[in-house]
Amino acid sequence: MITPKNIKKSPKAPSSKPHSSRNTASSSKTRIVIKNKVSQKRDISEHFGVSKSGSRTNSSKIHSGINRKSSKNSYLTNNTKIQNNSSNLIMQTAPPTAAQARERTMRTSGHSRKDRNQLKDSLSQDSVNDELETNESNASLAPKQSAIPSKIEIMESIQIGNLAKKMNLRPNEIIGRLMRMGEMVTINKSIDAETVTLLAADYNCEVKVVSLYDDTLIKEENRLVEEEIERPPIVTIMGHVDHGKTMLLDTIRTSKVIDTEAGAITQHIGAYQVDTNGNKITFLDTPGHEAFSAMRVRGASVTDIVILVVAADDGVKQQTIEAIAHAREAKVPIIVAVNKIDLPDANLENVKKALSEHGLAAEDWGGDTVYCPISAKENKGIDELLKAILLQAEMLNLKANPKMRATGYVLEANVDLGKGSMATILLNNGTLNEGDIFVVGSCSGRIRAIYNDIGKSIKTALPSTPVKITGIDSIPETGDPFQVVENEKYGREVASKRQHYKQINSVTEAGQPSLDDLGSWVKTHKELKVIIKTDVQGTVEAIQDGIQRLSTKDVKVRVVHGATGAISESDVNLGLASHSIIIGFQVRATQRVSDLAERSGVDIKYYNVIYNIIDDIKQSMEGLLEPERIEEITGTLEVRQVFKISKFGNIAGCMVISGNINRNNTMRVIRDGIVIYTGNIKSLRRLKEDVTEVKEGFECGIAFENFNDLKEKDQLENFHIKEVARKL
């Protein structure tokens, strides 16, 4: 008997055609596949009782011959498929399921129809089991979606992709939900916190909005109570403009700061430290002008005590009330210093009465607010004011730990030509040393030099000390937190992350209006573009805040760029490209830059008093407004008789009832209280002579252009349109 093992195939003659390496490899792979299939069939046959080397019936031989023939055809077909598309090899070589193997064996094993029917149910059940196993396998391989958190923290804006990660959702699901809300977004677009709150509410997820510095919080050292010592109080002087705040500080410091301020008005936050009988007090002098609201907010937020200066002859003003609101928001005590009591029209009682209406009742009136009558010019009452400050500081029990790494806030920042970027820092804890590595806002650096309030170089600075530092890689913003860190690498990582978040927020704040909205706005609105260059960073914010509040629904002010330093050629080029005016506050442009601006047609304006900027910007905005058109009636007439002239038309014989009638004005015909015609005068005559004006009480004849429907008793109005400049 011949078995498959005993069959010897005769070697084939070598082909005359050269074979490629690809065809040879493909053929060898196919032979391996067929060999594997034959082996599988043998194992299955043994499982169903078919002998591996047993005798075969005639039908088995016939089937075997057919199978050999079909195997040959299958080999040729498989070889062709593999040559055409090698990727099909994986599908063809996939092992069959148990049901498929049994069915294939039944066809080739020679079993009867009865045997096949008996195994029909078994094959069906195996197919079901195979499908269940496949589904379970696919389910186990599919990624499991995590539960949506009950609370997330975001900043003022967040990208769709980052929001999806925080909420454990697919970005497509969030995009689809926002589209149903009417927001056309992509995975890289940022949305504001309000939109995120509405979206998260559908998933029962609470949203907490945190600031940039909360999200990139630098871990502070453990504060040991036993190492704390008393620190000097930080006192902010606030009040209305020209009420004597800087004069009071000059009297305390015996200096002349007011002489260095333009217009005798404070333009920056001044930080100074004085020594009174061995006790140090740190003073912050904030501007009183309305444009410096942002500076007053910063001054109140870093202070321990607020000195509210009120002029005895002027009383409570708008900025006085605003200063009270800032102090209450910061939850700091207020000491009222009533200045200028040496003037003849000073009235202390009126000041107390006005301030009591705002919750600042004097102690002698049954309240808890300390009032100190002073005269900064005559140096009266200053000692009593300093004693009141020290007494209030003692009650507050102000302490700090000098052994910790220094922390504080930025009061001002500017660029010095010789020293680079500089910042005025008010320390609230720890000790600052030369060489310390720090992070301030989105900037970082190493302390190169430290200067005190009088410009003297020092090596270290204790808490509550205002200092000026150098060594910053860029200009920080006023109000940014300052913190010394362990190493330079960590400081750069924190600063880089904050810069990245700021860029995302700036893109979101810029907005993405649709073309239709933008086109309709441009048709009906005007825009004034401004570039601001100042000496310190705090003034940039103050000017920007002041002029942006001038924006109305008809005219908008947009700050294209704001920075510190001298006006450069790049500023002029930006002004040329954006059609902006350049405002220089206590900075100047070189002669070369001035010539470039003159050739380019870019307007540069210089200022040293901030409210002059506000006034000029307001006038420029008013110039962009369309004038208001007002109708002015110059005279009225009554038709007494109508004359019909065939070649000329109807002529109205009229009497001037009031005013004067001007031929160049427009005429209106009124009949029974209804206007039936408005148009121009064709002819105006008086005693057969053409005239340009007829006065009250005289008769005249009037003909109209393209209108002849005139009747007696018609009322005529002579008027013209007057254009009046609009005001903001």
Side-chain angles (χ1 to χ4, degrees), residues 569-619:
E569 294 183 4
S570 60
D571 297 326
V572 176
N573 294 330
L574 179 59
L576 177 62
S578 59
H579 304 286
S580 307
I581 62 174
I582 300 176
I583 294 176
F585 183 81
Q586 294 188 351
V587 295
R588 290 294 184 270
T590 62
Q591 186 62 39
R592 180 179 177 182
V593 175
S594 299
D595 295 340
L596 176 62
E598 185 176 356
R599 293 194 305 268
S600 303
V602 178
D603 191 12
I604 301 178
K605 296 183 177 181
Y606 301 107
Y607 300 90
N608 58 2
V609 179
I610 194 169
Y611 55 77
N612 290 340
I613 301 177
I614 307 299
D615 294 340
D616 288 355
I617 291 293
K618 188 175 182 180
Q619 292 178 3

Side-chain angles (χ1 to χ4, degrees), residues 674-688:
I674 299 173
V675 177
I676 62 174
Y677 173 77
T678 301
N680 297 325
I681 299 175
K682 183 179 180 180
S683 175
L684 178 63
R685 291 194 176 189
R686 164 79 179 150
L687 300 176
K688 297 183 180 182

Side-chain angles (χ1 to χ4, degrees), residues 223 229-234 280 304 398-400 427-428 463-464:
R223 190 166 181 172
I229 61 173
E230 291 187 2
R231 65 172 177 85
I234 301 172
K280 292 184 177 181
D304 299 318
L398 304 172
K399 291 186 178 182
L427 303 177
N428 58 7
S464 299

Side-chain angles (χ1 to χ4, degrees), residues 358-522:
H358 298 280
L360 297 179
E363 291 179 334
D364 54 351
W365 283 27
D368 56 356
T369 304
V370 179
Y371 280 72
C372 295
I374 63 170
S375 174
K377 187 175 182 180
E378 300 295 333
N379 196 5
K380 294 180 180 180
I382 304 300
D383 293 336
E384 288 75 9
L385 177 62
L386 295 176
K387 290 179 182 179
I389 294 173
L390 294 174
L391 179 60
Q392 186 67 55
E394 185 178 352
M395 295 173 60
L396 293 175
N397 193 22
L398 304 172
K399 291 186 178 182
N401 188 349
K403 296 184 179 181
M404 296 176 58
R405 289 192 292 265
T407 60
Y409 293 93
V410 177
L411 297 180
E412 291 287 3
N414 66 306
V415 178
D416 189 273
L417 294 178
K419 300 176 183 177
S421 299
M422 302 184 69
T424 301
I425 308 294
L426 179 61
L427 303 177
N428 58 7
N429 203 10
T431 301
L432 184 65
N433 303 293
E434 279 190 2
D436 284 347
I437 300 167
F438 63 89
V439 176
V440 51
S442 58
C443 311
S444 62
R446 181 189 294 269
I447 299 292
R448 294 182 181 176
I450 306 174
Y451 303 93
N452 60 10
D453 58 324
I454 60 175
K456 182 181 178 182
S457 178
I458 57 178
K459 298 295 181 181
T460 60
L462 296 174
S464 299
T465 304
V467 294
K468 212 166 205 179
I469 62 171
T470 61
I472 317 173
D473 55 4
S474 59
I475 304 175
E477 297 181 2
T478 50
D480 283 350
F482 171 89
Q483 192 166 359
V484 174
V485 294
E486 298 177 359
N487 53 69
E488 190 171 359
K489 180 181 179 182
Y490 178 68
R492 289 180 178 178
E493 289 177 356
V494 174
S496 178
K497 188 175 182 180
R498 289 178 177 177
Q499 289 175 2
H500 174 67
Y501 284 157
K502 287 183 67 176
Q503 290 174 357
I504 295 175
N505 290 340
S506 62
V507 171
T508 305
E509 293 173 359
Q512 299 179 0
S514 64
L515 292 177
D516 295 337
D517 296 340
L518 186 60
S520 61
W521 194 93
V522 170

Side-chain angles (χ1 to χ4, degrees), residues 276-432:
T276 60
N277 300 325
N279 297 312
K280 292 184 177 181
I281 303 176
T282 300
F283 286 97
L284 300 181
D285 183 18
T286 60
H289 190 266
E290 59 182 354
F292 292 94
S293 177
M295 287 189 179
R296 286 192 293 274
V297 172
R298 288 194 298 273
S301 62
V302 300
T303 191
D304 299 318
I305 302 171
V306 168
I307 301 296
L308 182 64
V309 179
V310 183
D313 61 333
D314 202 11
V316 177
K317 296 296 182 180
Q318 181 61 36
Q319 273 65 56
T320 308
I321 300 173
E322 184 186 287
I324 296 173
H326 292 327
R328 285 179 174 169
E329 185 69 22
K331 298 180 180 179
V332 295
I334 300 175
I335 297 176
V336 179
V338 184
N339 193 21
K340 302 182 181 181
I341 59 171
D342 57 315
L343 298 178
D345 53 349
N347 194 328
L348 178 60
E349 297 301 319
N350 284 345
V351 174
K352 290 183 179 181
K353 180 180 178 181
L355 289 177
S356 64
E357 297 176 358
H358 298 280
L360 297 179
E363 291 179 334
D364 54 351
W365 283 27
D368 56 356
T369 304
V370 179
Y371 280 72
C372 295
I374 63 170
S375 174
K377 187 175 182 180
E378 300 295 333
N379 196 5
K380 294 180 180 180
I382 304 300
D383 293 336
E384 288 75 9
L385 177 62
L386 295 176
K387 290 179 182 179
I389 294 173
L390 294 174
L391 179 60
Q392 186 67 55
E394 185 178 352
M395 295 173 60
L396 293 175
N397 193 22
L398 304 172
K399 291 186 178 182
N401 188 349
K403 296 184 179 181
M404 296 176 58
R405 289 192 292 265
T407 60
Y409 293 93
V410 177
L411 297 180
E412 291 287 3
N414 66 306
V415 178
D416 189 273
L417 294 178
K419 300 176 183 177
S421 299
M422 302 184 69
T424 301
I425 308 294
L426 179 61
L427 303 177
N428 58 7
N429 203 10
T431 301
L432 184 65

